[in-house]
């Protein structure tokens, strides 16, 4: 009898690993959101939404992606839109971050296990910092969302004739969607009708960038914005690479689409520049679009594929493999080409385990994307560039689409749901959740070098 109880305790102990709890919590929230969206009260017509469509929409909102299979404003009722908004906010905070906050408010203190859960979700430096991290996440999110909502509310009310109540609803919805890098919009054309309006596009773009930088970077900038030399290596890499990718993306997309009458070509010159910048911001994993993505040139799609796969900063609301992973891999390659025995960046040496983590994340991401592309190509008639764009957008939790999402079969929607779930939690977190236990090696094998290349 004692051995049976001991066996059950070991099972529960394995399941209680923080990474597995995060996966289970996200899965539970996903199911709950899908159930709510499947209710007749969640639709304008008062009819049930098909299970796959409800599940897909719930996953897209919880994983802060933005891909849709039905028109958000036309299909969902006010209740349904509020469910989507709640899932977006929940996904942005992180299920464990929000749960940790509730525990803190109720008990006034956090147990060690709860801190470990919060650490796993927020990538904080250690268990002791989890309480500060959770409160900082909430304060930062609400502050940026509130500031963005105020600007948008005023613009919708004064510039587009919306009542103040409706303007406030639109402002809050799109502010939350922007900061959490979700990309859900309440118009059939997303934000195309506002392509030349800087009072709509710029606040949303700023919120997207802020959310995509990651909470550690935002906190450090708040404390040390006057002293760049004191910034951590993580902040320097995130800001530098994000700025470079944003600038390069703006130049490439604007140049390629400049004369395209289906996108930028029909806009005045200031509008082209604004729309080009806006579209370069969105692949850092927000799914808003101010031009018709389906009308873009294939070169633009490929450029956006690369930007989406890299994504934004770590410990934020962005997806992708993250800019730090991309930068570290570039540094590792450069050091190997130079024959350096150690990998150094900005006068700091990179630990070997960090290099392995970056390589693992990137290769797992490539493998997942290739598998998704192959699957969709076998079950749909769409072209490779269309399918690749859709798969990368789902995995990187971006939400941009060439317009084929709603036309995919149910199996394709299920596959994209899985990709969004994996992309939100991260390959390493999901892998750790599925692993039974960590195995320590107590011996070393003889060394032998195979031929490489």
């Amino acid at each position: 009898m004692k051995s049976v109880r001991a066996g059950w305790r070991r099972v529960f102990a394995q399941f209680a690993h923080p990474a597995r709890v995060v996966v289970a919590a996200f899965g539970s929230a996903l199911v709950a959101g899908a159930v709510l969206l499947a209710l007749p009260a969640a639709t304008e017509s008062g009819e049930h939404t098909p299970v796959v469509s409800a599940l897909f929409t719930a996953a897209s909102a919880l994983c802060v992606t933005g891909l849709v299979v039905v028109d958000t404003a036309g299909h969902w009722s006010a209740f349904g839109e509020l469910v989507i908004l709640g899932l977006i906010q929940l996904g942005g905070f992180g299920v464990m971050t929000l749960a940790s906050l509730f525990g803190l408010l109720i008990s006034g203190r956090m147990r060690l296990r709860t801190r470990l859960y919060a650490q796993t979700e927020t990538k904080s430096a250690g268990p002791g910092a989890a309480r500060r991290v959770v409160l900082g996440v909430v304060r930062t999110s609400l502050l940026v969302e509130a500031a963005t909502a105020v600007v948008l509310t005023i613009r919708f009310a004064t510039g587009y004739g919306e009542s103040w109540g409706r303007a406030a609803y639109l402002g809050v919805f799109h502010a939350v969607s922007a900061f959490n890098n979700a990309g859900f919009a309440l118009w059939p054309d997303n934000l195309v009708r506002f392509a030349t309006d800087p009072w709509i596009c710029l606040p949303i773009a700023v919120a997207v960038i802020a959310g995509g930088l990651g909470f550690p970077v935002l906190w450090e900038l708040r404390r040390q914005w006057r002293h760049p030399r004191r910034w951590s290596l993580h902040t320097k890499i995130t800001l530098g690479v994000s700025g470079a990718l944003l600038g390069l993306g703006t130049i490439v997309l604007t140049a390629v689409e400049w004369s395209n009458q289906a996108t930028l070509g029909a806009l005045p010159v200031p509008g082209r520049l604004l729309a080009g910048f806006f579209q370069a911001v969105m692949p850092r994993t927000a799914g808003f679009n101010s031009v018709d993505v389906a009308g873009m040139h294939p070169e633009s799609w490929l450029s956006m594929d690369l930007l989406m796969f890299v994504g934004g900063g770590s410990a934020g609301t962005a997806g992708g493999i993250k800019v730090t992973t991309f930068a570290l891999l570039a540094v590792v390659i450069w050091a190997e080409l130079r024959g350096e025995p150690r990998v150094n960046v900005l006068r700091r040496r990179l630990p070997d385990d960090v290099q392995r983590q970056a390589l693992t994340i990137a290769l797992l991401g490539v493998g997942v994307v290739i598998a998704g592309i192959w699957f969709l190509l076998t079950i749909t008639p769409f072209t490779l560039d269309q399918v690749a764009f859709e798969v990368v957008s789902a995995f990187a939790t971006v939400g941009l689409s060439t317009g084929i999402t709603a036309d995919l079969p149910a199996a394709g929607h299920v596959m994209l749901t899985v990709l969004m779930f994996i992309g939100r939690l991260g390959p390493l977190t999901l892998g750790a959740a599925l692993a039974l236990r960590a195995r320590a090696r107590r011996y070393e094998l003889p060394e032998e070098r195979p031929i490489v290349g």
Side-chain angles (χ1 to χ4, degrees):
M1 190 68 179
K2 292 182 178 179
S3 61
V4 173
R5 288 197 296 267
W8 278 111
R9 282 196 294 269
R10 285 195 296 269
V11 171
F12 287 134
Q14 288 180 354
F15 179 78
H17 187 283
R20 282 189 284 277
V21 173
V22 170
V23 174
F26 262 81
S28 300
L30 174 60
V31 172
V35 170
L36 291 176
L37 290 177
L39 296 175
T43 64
E44 290 283 3
S45 63
E47 300 178 353
H48 289 281
T49 298
V51 174
V52 174
S53 298
L55 180 66
F56 184 93
T57 304
S60 184
L62 183 66
C63 300
V64 291
T65 304
L67 288 173
V68 295
V69 292
V70 295
D71 176 34
T72 302
H75 180 82
W76 304 110
S77 64
F79 171 75
E81 292 174 3
L82 290 177
V83 171
I84 292 173
L85 186 65
L87 289 172
I88 292 172
Q89 190 71 84
L90 188 62
F93 281 157
V95 172
M96 284 301 100
T97 305
L98 194 59
S100 300
L101 174 63
F102 288 159
L104 175 64
L105 294 176
I106 293 172
S107 65
R109 60 187 178 87
M110 299 178 67
R111 297 177 59 188
L112 177 60
R113 183 170 297 250
T114 306
R115 293 183 180 184
L116 288 172
Y117 295 160
Q119 176 194 355
T120 302
E121 172 59 27
T122 61
K123 315 290 191 302
S124 59
R131 174 172 176 162
R132 176 176 54 85
V133 167
V134 170
L135 292 178
V137 166
V138 175
R139 292 193 190 105
T140 303
S141 299
L142 295 181
L143 178 62
V144 177
E145 289 171 358
T148 306
V150 168
V151 177
L152 293 179
T153 298
I154 294 174
R155 183 56 178 168
F156 286 135
T158 60
Y160 295 93
E162 300 284 356
S163 66
W164 282 103
R166 176 64 177 173
Y169 177 73
L170 293 174
V172 170
F173 187 97
H174 292 90
V176 173
S177 184
F179 179 73
N180 291 288
N181 279 214
F184 278 89
L186 296 180
W187 294 277
D189 61 355
N190 205 273
L191 299 179
V192 173
R193 64 188 63 192
F194 306 112
T196 59
D197 189 344
W199 291 102
I200 299 294
C201 292
L202 291 182
I204 288 178
V206 171
V208 168
I209 293 172
L213 288 177
F215 299 111
V217 174
L218 295 178
W219 294 336
E220 190 164 359
L221 289 178
R222 185 184 64 180
R223 296 192 304 268
Q224 303 285 352
W225 67 276
R226 293 183 178 180
H227 307 284
R229 292 185 178 180
R230 299 180 185 176
W231 293 350
S232 65
L233 180 62
H234 173 77
T235 296
K236 292 178 180 178
I237 291 177
T238 301
L239 291 177
V241 178
S242 296
L245 292 178
L246 178 58
L248 182 61
T250 301
I251 294 173
V252 170
L253 293 179
T254 303
V256 173
E257 299 295 327
W258 187 263
S259 300
N260 186 352
Q261 293 298 312
T263 55
L264 301 185
L267 303 176
V269 172
R272 295 185 197 184
L273 297 175
L274 175 62
F277 168 76
F278 188 82
Q279 286 309 130
V281 171
M282 294 307 118
R284 64 180 302 105
T285 80
F288 293 110
N289 62 283
S290 62
V291 297
D292 182 14
V293 176
M296 285 183 160
H297 293 306
E299 300 91 325
S300 296
W301 287 352
L302 179 59
S303 301
M304 295 173 75
D305 284 341
L306 299 175
L307 292 173
M308 290 190 295
F309 186 75
V310 173
S314 301
T317 56
I321 64 171
K322 305 298 188 295
V323 293
T324 46
T325 303
F326 173 75
L328 294 182
L329 288 177
V331 172
V332 169
I333 293 173
W334 180 246
E336 186 64 26
L337 292 176
R338 289 169 55 90
E340 298 286 348
R342 299 291 181 184
V343 179
N344 303 314
V345 55
L346 299 178
R347 300 182 179 274
R348 294 292 187 272
R349 181 172 61 85
L350 291 182
D352 293 339
D353 60 333
V354 173
Q355 300 173 41
R356 291 196 300 270
Q357 289 174 7
L359 181 62
T360 301
I361 290 173
L363 290 181
L364 283 177
V366 170
V368 169
V369 167
I370 290 176
I373 292 174
W374 181 88
F375 183 79
L376 280 189
L377 284 176
T378 60
I379 65 172
T380 68
F382 300 112
T383 61
L384 175 60
D385 50 4
Q386 290 176 307
V387 167
F389 194 97
E390 202 79 9
V391 169
V392 174
S393 179
F395 169 75
T397 67
V398 178
L400 293 171
S401 174
T402 59
I404 68 173
T405 308
D407 298 325
L408 296 175
H413 290 158
V414 172
M415 190 273 293
L416 291 182
T417 300
V418 173
L419 284 179
M420 290 187 286
F421 194 80
I422 293 175
R424 176 65 183 97
L425 297 180
L428 288 182
T429 301
L430 188 60
L434 298 176
L436 293 176
R437 62 181 178 180
R439 295 175 173 85
R441 186 178 297 275
R442 301 180 182 275
Y443 59 91
E444 293 292 339
L445 297 174
E447 181 179 293
E448 182 175 351
R449 295 178 64 88
I451 300 175
V452 177

